Structures are given as C-alpha cells and as structure tokens.
Amino acid sequence: MSDTKKFDVVVIGGGPGGYIAAIRAAQLGFQVACIDEWKNEKGGPAPGGTCTNVGCIPSKALLQSSEHFEHAGHAFKEHGIDVAGLSLNLPQMLKRKKTVVDQNNQGILFLFKKNKVSFFHGRGSFAGAADGGYTINVAGASNETLQTKHVVVATGSNARELPGAPFDEKVILSNDGALAIDAVPANLGVIGAGVIGLEMGSVWRRLGAKVTVLEGLPTFLGAVDEQIAKEAHKLFTKQGLAISLGCKIGKITNDGKSVTVEYADDKGAEQKAVFDKLIISIGRVPNTIGLNGDAVGLKLDERGFVVVDDECKTNLPNVWAVGDVVRGPMLAHKAEEEGVAVAERIAGQHGHVNFNTIPWVIYTSPEIAWVGKTEQALKAEGRAYKAGTFPFMANGRARALGDTSGMVKFLADATTDEILGVHIVGPMASELISEAVVAMEFRASSEDIARICHAHPSLSEATKEAALAVDKRSLNF
Ligand code: FAD
Ligand code: NAI
C-alpha cells in the first residue's frame, strides 16, 4: 500500500457528471482526484462512463452510420444519385464506432492532464471518515489511499433487468450488447419503447433487421407531447418498426441461440414471439455497487438512488452526488450541469441547475426534441395556454433536404405569452431545440421568437413560424 495522498476533492466516477465536476473543481483551484474503473478491451482506462463507452457516443455513431446506409439505399435516388452495389460492412461500422469512443476516452484523459486532475484507474470506495474528511480506497492497477475533505459521488447507472431474463449480452442484450451485435439479426425483439428501444431499434432496422418493439404502457412515449408522440408513432410505423403497445410480458426463454417471449397483447390475447436477439430497454437503475457507502452511512432511497437535496448535498457533510445516481432525468447534460454546480458550491459560489429547461432529445429519424411542459401537462394543471404549430412540409430548407416530416410546436401562456414548452419532431430537432432552451432560460415570449430574424432558408425558420402561429399569423402556412 502506498502513502496516503491528500486532496481537496475526490470524485468517484468518471462519466459526464464526474469528469466535468473534477475539471470544474480543478479550474476553481482545488487539488482534485477522479477515480474511474471503466476498462477498455486492453484493460486500460476508459473514462467517460456509460455515455462515452456504451451510451450517447457509440449509439450516435451507429445511428449516423446506419442512417447513411439507409439514405444510400433509398433517399439518394431521389437526389439523382444512383448507388450501385451497395453493401454493408458491419465490422467496419463497429470499428468506426470504437474509434469514436476511443477518441473520447483519450480526450478526457488529456483534459485531466491539462487541468491537473489526478486520475486513478480502479474502484473507489469509502473506507471511513477521518480528520474532518473522508478516506477513500482505490482498488485497481495499484491500490491507493486518498484523504479528502469533499467527495463527489458520480457512479452512474446500469441497465434494469427483467426478472427471469438476465442479460447474457449474446441473445438477451442490454444497451451494451445492443451496440455490439456482430451480424445483423433477421428478427430483433425489443422490450420497452423508450429512448434506447427506439434509437437501437432504428439502428438495426436500417441495417436490415425486422424489428418488433413490445411496450408495456398503452400509450406511446407517454412523457412526450401527445401530438408529437402521435406523429412520431405514425412515422416510425411507416418506416417498418412494428410497435405493440399495452403488452404484458410473461415468460422469456433463452436457449442460447434464440429467445422466445410470451406476452399478452393489448386485448389480453396470449402471444408468443421468437427472436434471434432481444434488447431489453426498460429503464436504468442507480449504481452504488462497490462504493461501500455503509462505511460512512451514506443514505440511499428505497430504489437505490443516493438521497440528495436540491443542491446535490447528501446526508453526509461535504459528500455530494450528481448524475444518474441521484433523482431527476438520466441525461448526460443534466449530470454535467450538476457536476459544475457542485464544484462551484464547494468553492462557495452559487451553482445553479434549472430543471425546467433541461432539453430531451431522441435521436431517431426524424429526431424528437422538447423542453418545458407538454400540452397534456398544461391541461392537467388547468393552465390557460395558446398553441402554435408549423409543419416542416412548409419549410423550404426541409424540402431542399428532402426531409419534410414532422413539425415544431410552441406552447405559450395565454395571458403573458411566456413560452411554456417547445416540442419538435423533425430533421435536426436536436440542434433546433437549443433556441427554445435559450428563449425559456431568458423567459422569452413567443412574440420574442416571432420577431427575431432567422436565416433563410433554414430549418430554424420553422421555429419562428411556430412562434408566429401562436398568434395565428404564420406567414408560410
Ligand atoms: P455514468 O456515465 O454512468 O458514469 C459513471 C462512471 O462511474 C462509470 O464509468 C463507472 O464505471 C464509474 N464507477 C461506478 N462506480 C465506481 C466506483 N465505485 N469506483 C470507480 N468508478 C466507478 N444521455 C444523453 O444526454 N444523450 C444521449 O444521447 C444519451 N444516449 C444514451 C444512450 C444509451 C444507450 C444509454 C444507456 C444512455 C444514454 N444517455 C444519454 C444517458 C447517459 O449516458 C447518462 O445519463 C450519463 O452517462 C450519466 O452520467 P453519470 O456521470 O451520472 O454516470
Ligand atoms: P426509458 O425509461 O426511456 O424507456 C423504458 C420503456 O420501457 C418505457 O416506455 C416503459 O414504459 C417500458 N417498460 C418498462 N417496464 C416494462 C415492461 N416490464 N414491459 C414492457 N415495457 C416496459 O428507458 P430506456 O430506454 O431503457 O433508457 C434509459 C434511460 O437512458 C432513458 O430514460 C434516458 O434517460 C437515457 N437515454 C437517453 C438517451 C437520449 O438522451 N437520447 C438515449 C438513450 C438513453
């Protein structure tokens, strides 16, 4: 065992919540360590967490590659580009995905060096409280003991298993296996029509799989604005994703080569489906395995989340927690914002995260993005509102792109005109939503957006037109 190393802040977990907290704390002048246990295939460090290794980054790499493949097969023809002899090189597609992931891992290691964050590759665990701070053990390539005043827990989340259907990552897949299938399955089943189910289902459908999605709830994308969800459901079905709602999943049998799912459909009729592979994407659970929080009395709730207040303070003095391991949306940018806010609070500043303006994006094609309240939520609150929509069909840039599906929808307060929510299904919704986030952060009205000059021709004109539509004065529809 080497000598105890002393820090001001030790961050456990090097995902978006942890590595960003570490960098911000170092910028603020603290001596900072970040511990992360993720290994690449050579056993070396791979910081970046779920997001970089088996989440945001590799999924977007495959979404992009598979979209190119689909476009080359169909959409290019309309543009007058004939592609002869089109074929899929899946090993190359997976290799490219890995390169993108590796670049991100290396980028984070570089940022740690640049900001003088000490990185420890291994598992971090609480050993006890001592001298007005905490002792943290690192078990990894070398075993270390760290002494620190502040601890930031950023240990993330893991995929939730269905009872009786453990992930083997060969036939029954979590997000991990879903991103690494080495041959396109003829028949792919997905349980859960949430964000992962739709994104990964889209990837493998585009590459040639017949994809069946079994969803437990009777409504499609219940958290999304109903009008937008309906439009998306229609578009995905047209693309060939077979989505069955209201399914009650029963016995799942994995024979090592295929998997049989027994379920009751929305009419209660018993069904049986056989798949080559089955992705189970029914949500994620917080990860505190190996943290040894009991050694210091770290409080978890009944679902295993670390209990925190609005400022990410745990029940222990100077122990903070951020990201997927605490309440709130499981999103990389939410984790990052909490990481920055915690570092600033440690420095005595007033770190701030506005939960009302956290954007959501589903990277399907078309993309779905939203911020703020849905129409059904405003109705349930009894809040008086005005709505304006604008279809991409009427947007010149969308027509030039050949991607005219979907719409932009604005919801504004009936009296003050303050923007309450913006919902988009359509091309580049992930980029377009930022304007709405900025507007809401500044508490803008729909009139503010309607009076701002937007470049022509651009998809963002659909945003302006939807804002104009709130007052029934859109110009191009
Ligand atoms: P994680 O990223 O889970 O990082 C936690 C890290 O801590 C891991 O590296 C883990 O190994 C390490 N760790 C855990 N315990 C210990 C310990 N005791 N000692 C040392 N290290 C430890 N979000 C988006 O915003 N946009 C997206 O497009 C998006 N796509 C996604 C796609 C998929 C398939 C999945 C699964 C998730 C996606 N997410 C996306 C969600 C996003 O990945 C998470 O919200 C985000 O990674 C949470 O960050 P975090 O830092 O809290 O935790
Ligand atoms: P999810 O919460 O998005 O969707 C889970 C779906 O499974 C829901 O529709 C739910 O009703 C359904 N479900 C739950 N139990 C079921 C059961 N027993 N039978 C059938 N259906 C069932 O969770 P998902 O897709 O696993 O993703 C986890 C999280 O990861 C997301 O909530 C999100 O926070 C994050 N993520 C974000 C992405 C993004 O920002 N683009 C992309 C992928 C993941």
Side-chain angles (χ1 to χ4, degrees), residues 445-470:
S445 62
S446 71
E447 184 71 14
D448 288 326
I449 299 299
R451 289 199 174 275
I452 289 172
C453 180
H454 288 63
H456 176 78
S458 70
L459 296 171
S460 69
E461 286 173 293
T463 308
K464 175 185 168 120
E465 289 274 3
L468 281 164
V470 168

Side-chain angles (χ1 to χ4, degrees), residues 66 69-70 88 184-187 201-211:
S66 60
F69 181 67
E70 185 164 65
L88 174 67
V184 179
N187 243 314
S202 294
V203 164
W204 295 106
R205 181 201 60 72
R206 291 170 192 168
L207 299 180
K210 176 175 181 290
V211 179

Side-chain angles (χ1 to χ4, degrees), residues 19 37 70 381 401:
Y19 91 77
E37 64 180 346
E70 185 164 65
E381 278 175 21
L401 285 173

Side-chain angles (χ1 to χ4, degrees), residues 235-273:
L235 293 166
F236 296 150
T237 306
K238 202 169 143 203
Q239 288 169 4
L241 274 186
I243 303 167
S244 296
L245 302 174
C247 299
K248 197 168 180 327
I249 305 294
K251 198 169 164 211
I252 298 180
T253 315
N254 177 359
D255 69 9
K257 287 198 177 71
S258 65
V259 57
T260 305
V261 179
E262 294 171 45
Y263 65 97
D265 67 17
D266 58 346
K267 294 181 185 67
E270 292 302 323
Q271 305 286 351
K272 200 184 249 192

Side-chain angles (χ1 to χ4, degrees), residues 50 55-56 59-60 63 157-160 162-163 175 190-200 214-222 244 246-249 280-285 324 328-333 359-364 368:
T50 302
C56 327
S59 63
K60 266 80 254 179
L63 278 156
S157 64
N158 292 318
R160 185 151 77 88
L162 256 183
N175 55 296
V190 178
I191 297 183
V195 197
I196 294 179
L198 293 173
E199 289 188 357
M200 297 317 301
L214 305 174
E215 164 61 39
L217 291 177
T219 42
F220 180 65
L221 288 178
S244 296
C247 299
K248 197 168 180 327
I249 305 294
I280 298 184
S281 47
I282 55 166
R284 296 179 62 81
V285 291
D324 281 11
M330 287 185 167
L331 294 173
H333 42 282
W360 276 85
V361 179
I362 307 178
Y363 293 81
T364 41
I368 303 169

